[in-house]
Amino acid sequence: MASDAGYAEHVCDQLAAVGNVSVRRMFGEYALYCDGKVAALICDNQLYIKHTMAGRQRLEELAGKVIEGQPYPGAKPYLLVSEHLDDRSLLQAVLAATVAELPLPKPKKPKSAKAKARLAR
């Protein structure tokens, strides 16, 4: 089941104070970006934040428990935080801790002249 655009928009609204938050549609679901880093996935109208030690500790402090889940079969475990969707401060704290621990994305390599020529056709 694909996620609703309205759900993805609501998640972005809840997390907007953390930084530059946006979503990009991928394979019928959404990847959530914060300050240029992929920080979470929205799959089947569920919010999965990437698993980092800082994010996990923050979630445990604020919610008292941590629920992990896989956004799709074969995925690494993510922090499943959909039950806290209406707790804006908790979501923002967990996402901020997670984003601070995530590495910057690797710069993309420039396209070769051959690749540019193929794209021009």
Side-chain angles (χ1 to χ4, degrees):
M1 174 178 113
S3 295
D4 299 329
Y7 183 84
E9 186 177 321
H10 178 64
V11 169
C12 283
D13 290 344
Q14 293 292 84
L15 297 170
V18 176
N20 184 13
V21 176
S22 63
V23 291
R24 182 178 294 168
R25 192 156 175 82
M26 294 183 167
F27 309 111
E29 303 296 351
Y30 294 89
L32 186 137
Y33 290 79
C34 185
D35 298 333
K37 300 175 184 181
V38 177
L41 297 175
I42 300 171
C43 299
D44 295 330
N45 285 343
Q46 300 283 322
L47 177 59
Y48 297 88
I49 295 180
K50 277 194 171 184
H51 190 281
T52 62
M53 289 309 297
R56 181 184 180 88
Q57 289 172 347
R58 197 73 176 120
L59 181 58
E60 201 165 23
E61 288 170 11
L62 297 172
K65 66 178 179 176
V66 174
I67 299 174
E68 293 183 346
Q70 292 180 307
Y72 54 89
K76 292 180 182 178
Y78 279 65
L79 302 174
L80 179 57
V81 294
S82 294
E83 70 179 44
H84 306 292
L85 195 58
D86 293 328
D87 189 346
R88 185 179 295 217
S89 61
L90 180 143
L91 286 178
Q92 291 174 354
V94 173
L95 185 69
T98 298
V99 169
E101 195 170 309
L102 290 174
L104 290 171
K106 294 178 184 176
K108 294 184 179 181
K109 295 179 183 178
K111 293 183 179 174
S112 67
K114 288 181 182 180
K116 288 179 185 176
R118 277 185 280 176
L119 290 175
R121 292 184 207 169

